[in-house]
DNA sequence: CGTATTGTTGATTGCAATCAATGAGAGTGG
DNA sequence: CCACTCTCATTGATTGCAATCAACAATACG
């Protein structure tokens, strides 16, 4: 039952089940010989900030982190929304180049620089796995550049909704774990524009909005058309 | 002499001297045991295209490559401009996710997948160097996202001019190896807007335009102010 | 020297930002 | 349980920046 799935999310965990499952492995850094220390973050809590000394890397184990950079006048660009399984904070030069906060209540496993280095030397293939992960991040960054540089507001939101399956409950019912402000800053828009685009998609019958944070994708194909600028 | 430096660029190589120097090493993949095959590209020539099978990686050895993605309606977003020393094309999944062309006449060294793999296994630390390079790319991508998502046209162009030292002749005389169309597609703008911004910076006395491709930075600090939105 | 390509400038339009209220929940305390 | 408040989201009116449309200028090139 869809409703049940949603309430399960609300009751127990900040992330839908699909994500909890993903959290179980993909990267799975934790090893007895290279222990990660679990840290719990409340919503909005900062993991680290731009300019800080970087002496650890982190793997997201639950919740959602937001990575961002700030500009004069308080302008913010969110460059990443990290679901469980993603790694953040490897900084060869020792200084943080972005700020990371919990967008929802979250947990991470922390790996101290020394432990990380030791493992890079001891475990052949570890650097390679990290390389693959970094290249995936790079691909996502490229995708975001395309979105920010060349897509209209409607295309941005539609692309976003299609790309969020990371936080998706199956059955096309999505519970967005983040607020309009985060979506706006991720898409390079304002909250008003994001809201208007939601309304337009709803009016077009492509999505249903049960609550501000509960979106149901009614017609995935047509949403894809919006994302590609093939609809109007 | 400044003029000499510029003419040296025009006469001999598509890249100014500073870059030729950089080309000598930073990454320096070439090893007798892991040979890279040199390939020469004419201006506009394609190295590989989105969707192609990926069986090689490349190191830029001269010139400038442009990395881009396309959207419906011919919209193009350039996600990277690669000077000598940069590596492109490592694709664990075997499929190209972007197109790479020579923005100027260029040369690259090609490393076949098999050679690359062999080296990853044989040379400890190679994967780590690649990881560091990928993380640097990631940082640049983040910077670009900030620019595309939150900066005004003037801020974008000013940031671009300050960040191009990769192609810079010392003495603040820059010969831009690329056309307005490339700058526009890199900055998420149109050529008209780029042109207007150049004119405004020139009128403000911050830069001088000797020719369309020859820009001289007259006041680096004030250009920095423009880049940060602190000028008007 | 003529043609093609690239760059600049001007006029106008249009999309998203900004400014300004209003509405909808969630949590609190009476 | 119901005001009350606080935060977040939606909607409306207007502005403003950059895109588009349209000439025109400059440079490269055969």
């Amino acid at each position: 039952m869809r409703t049940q799935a949603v309430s399960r999310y609300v009751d127990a965990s900040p992330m839908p089940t699909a994500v909890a499952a993903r959290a179980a492995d993909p990267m799975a850094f934790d090893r007895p010989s290279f222990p990660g220390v679990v840290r719990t973050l409340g919503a909005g809590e900062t993991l680290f900030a731009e300019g800080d000394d970087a002496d650890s890397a982190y793997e997201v184990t639950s919740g959602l982190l937001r990575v961002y950079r700030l500009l004069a006048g308080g302008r913010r660009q969110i460059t990443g929304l990290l679901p469980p399984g993603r790694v953040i904070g490897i900084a060869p030069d020792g200084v943080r180049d972005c700020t990371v906060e919990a967008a929802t209540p979250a947990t991470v496993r922390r790996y101290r620089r020394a432990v990380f280095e030791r493992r890079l030397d001891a475990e052949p293939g570890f650097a390679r796995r990290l390389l693959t992960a970094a290249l995936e991040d790079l691909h996502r960054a490229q995708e975001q550049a395309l979105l920010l540089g060349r897509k209209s507001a409607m295309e941005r939101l539609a692309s976003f909704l299609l790309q969020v399956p990371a936080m998706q409950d199956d059955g096309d019912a999505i519970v967005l774990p983040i607020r309009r402000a985060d979506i706006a800053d991720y898409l390079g828009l304002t909250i008003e524009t994001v809201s208007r685009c939601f309304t337009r998609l709803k009016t077009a019958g492509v999505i249903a909005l049960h609550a501000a944070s509960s979106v149901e994708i009614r017609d995935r194909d047509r949403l894809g058309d919006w994302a590609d600028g093939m609809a109007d």
Side-chain angles (χ1 to χ4, degrees), chain A:
Chain A
M1 246 180 295
R2 183 157 303 160
T3 320
Q4 195 182 28
V6 170
S7 60
R8 209 187 312 145
Y9 156 64
V10 173
D11 295 340
S13 147
M15 295 298 302
T17 355
V19 172
R22 273 199 58 198
D25 200 281
M27 189 57 56
F29 274 18
D30 207 36
R31 294 280 186 286
S33 49
F34 301 101
V37 178
V38 172
R39 174 163 171 203
T40 302
L41 297 161
E45 202 174 337
T46 302
L47 184 59
F48 56 76
E50 198 174 337
D52 286 357
D53 287 340
D55 72 333
S56 300
Y58 303 86
E59 181 183 12
V60 184
T61 48
S62 75
L64 192 77
L65 303 187
R66 61 172 170 245
V67 182
Y68 66 83
R69 295 205 43 192
L70 291 173
L71 223 49
R75 289 173 287 176
R76 182 178 72 153
Q77 179 62 46
I78 293 181
T79 58
L81 291 169
L82 312 186
R86 298 276 287 278
V87 174
I88 184 73
I90 307 174
D93 63 354
V95 182
R96 298 296 180 201
D97 63 354
C98 59
T99 302
V100 176
E101 293 171 355
T104 70
T107 56
V108 298
R109 269 197 296 262
R110 171 181 179 168
Y111 298 89
R112 294 205 160 273
R113 190 183 196 77
V115 175
F116 219 80
E117 298 282 343
R118 184 155 54 91
R119 187 164 177 188
L120 278 167
D121 294 331
E123 186 180 326
F126 184 57
R128 235 176 121 158
R129 282 170 66 201
L130 291 177
L131 175 62
T132 302
L135 291 171
E136 281 168 9
D137 283 350
L138 206 46
H139 175 70
R140 275 183 286 263
Q142 228 171 53
E143 197 81 44
Q144 202 194 2
L146 182 65
L147 179 148
L148 293 172
R150 292 304 184 202
K151 290 191 182 179
S152 71
M154 284 301 297
E155 290 170 333
R156 292 183 202 194
L157 183 62
S159 304
F160 176 75
L161 291 176
L162 286 171
Q163 177 238 315
V164 205
M167 346 172 181
Q168 185 181 348
D169 233 336
D170 63 358
D172 286 340
I174 294 177
V175 175
L176 293 176
I178 53 175
R179 294 195 285 280
R180 296 291 183 265
D182 284 333
I183 298 176
D185 284 349
Y186 183 70
L187 299 179
L189 301 169
T190 60
I191 55 172
E192 292 95 333
T193 297
V194 169
S195 184
R196 278 182 243 275
C197 289
F198 266 117
T199 303
R200 283 183 67 190
L201 287 175
K202 177 179 155 190
T203 305
V206 176
I207 63 169
L209 283 172
H210 304 106
S213 68
S214 175
V215 184
E216 182 188 344
I217 297 180
R218 280 241 143 87
D219 190 332
R220 208 170 193 87
D221 292 341
R222 281 212 296 147
L223 188 56
D225 290 341
W226 279 105
D228 296 333
M230 309 302 288
D232 271 87

